[in-house]
Amino acid sequence: MGRIFEKRKYSIFKTAAQNSKLYSKYSKQLYMAAKNGVPDPDANPVLRNLVERAKKENVPSHVIDKAIQKAAGAGGENYQPARYEGVGPGGSLVIVDCLTDNNTRTISDVRNCFTKTGAKMSANGSVAMLFDHLAVISFSGDSEDKVLEAMFATDVAVEEVESKDGTITVFAPPAEFFKAKTALREAFPDLEFDVQEITFLPKEAKGLGGDELAMFEKFLGMLNECDDVQEIYHNVTLP
């Protein structure tokens, strides 16, 4: 059926200041994963996945270790997930995931990004229904059949396997994420994942140009400057 999938999620993190934002983002996510489970990646698959992703994005080990050690202590912050949806510049569709310890501050910051770029927030679920919520695992390879065999042999409910330009991408329900990763690693011991995440993929892409594209990029930049914003999903095909 074909999915709209681009490995562009962290392309905005280029400068030292933006790296600080990236480190802060992972620190919160690692802290919450360790706090809600156990502060041991070997015994906590959610935490282990975040550690792998953080290392892939060159987050320093001391940042990762500090977040996990902080979660192992008593007290600490109590972050809660918050999701906001809306129609962005040029009629784009946008989902914004946050981790916050102050809902009033977070919704005010996110709403400000929408308002100042002529965008509009909408009710939860109204935009998400136009995306597929999926586990996505991508790696180098060219044999769809062998990957499908590994999935079927371990009863992983795969939705789709794509092979393109030497890259294989597995799409599965979110609940099958860790099961799919385990099956792939057992079938291909030397496998390295290029992408491993649970994400929202748009059912239809949207192209923007000119002033609309410029405003959309400004909108993304403003959202990424918000401390509580963790992930931004949208349906725009960026140049």
Side-chain angles (χ1 to χ4, degrees):
M1 67 184 78
R3 302 281 185 185
I4 300 164
F5 181 64
E6 300 175 54
K7 290 180 283 186
R8 63 172 186 257
K9 292 198 61 178
Y10 303 111
S11 61
I12 194 166
F13 300 113
K14 293 179 181 176
T15 67
Q18 288 166 330
N19 278 337
S20 294
K21 164 69 176 177
L22 181 65
Y23 301 164
S24 174
K25 165 189 157 176
Y26 271 113
S27 290
K28 281 186 180 180
Q29 293 184 4
L30 289 160
Y31 172 85
M32 288 303 296
K35 197 76 173 176
N36 292 333
V38 292
D40 178 5
D42 291 332
N44 184 337
V46 175
L47 180 59
R48 182 168 63 250
N49 182 65
L50 280 170
V51 170
E52 290 174 357
R53 286 179 57 188
K55 288 180 177 179
K56 191 83 174 178
E57 295 300 322
N58 296 318
V59 176
S61 295
H62 70 85
V63 173
I64 297 171
D65 294 340
K66 183 178 180 181
I68 296 174
Q69 289 167 6
K70 186 177 180 182
E77 292 88 353
N78 184 25
Y79 296 112
Q80 298 295 326
R83 175 170 293 156
Y84 306 103
E85 304 175 24
V87 179
S92 57
L93 302 175
V94 184
I95 301 171
V96 184
D97 275 355
C98 303
L99 276 178
T100 178
D101 57 358
N102 185 326
N103 280 305
T104 301
R105 178 195 66 226
T106 304
I107 193 170
S108 176
D109 288 348
V110 173
R111 183 183 286 118
N112 182 60
C113 296
F114 276 85
T115 302
K116 288 193 173 182
T117 55
K120 185 177 182 180
M121 295 180 69
S122 57
N124 280 359
S126 60
V127 170
M129 65 185 295
L130 301 174
F131 287 70
D132 290 322
H133 193 208
L134 292 168
V136 179
I137 305 170
S138 183
F139 48 91
S140 297
D142 54 18
S143 179
E144 290 180 59
D145 291 340
K146 289 183 179 179
V147 171
L148 282 169
E149 286 175 10
M151 297 293 98
F152 293 151
T154 50
D155 295 322
V156 177
V158 177
E159 289 206 2
E160 186 177 357
V161 175
E162 286 185 353
S163 179
K164 183 178 180 182
D165 300 328
T167 296
I168 290 179
T169 305
V170 175
F171 300 94
E176 298 287 271
F177 180 54
F178 296 110
K179 190 176 177 181
K181 283 181 59 179
T182 299
L184 287 167
R185 284 202 163 118
E186 289 177 351
F188 312 102
D190 298 326
L191 190 64
E192 290 190 13
F193 299 126
D194 296 322
V195 175
Q196 46 175 323
E197 61 186 5
I198 296 174
T199 187
F200 284 92
L201 299 181
K203 294 180 180 179
E204 292 186 10
K206 184 176 185 63
L208 296 179
D211 292 342
E212 287 184 338
L213 178 59
M215 186 61 72
F216 181 75
E217 290 178 333
K218 176 183 177 181
F219 174 63
L220 286 185
M222 290 176 66
L223 284 172
N224 273 296
E225 288 174 4
C226 296
D227 289 340
D228 299 328
V229 170
Q230 299 294 300
E231 303 286 356
I232 305 166
Y233 309 101
H234 60 80
N235 68 333
V236 176
T237 302
L238 296 174

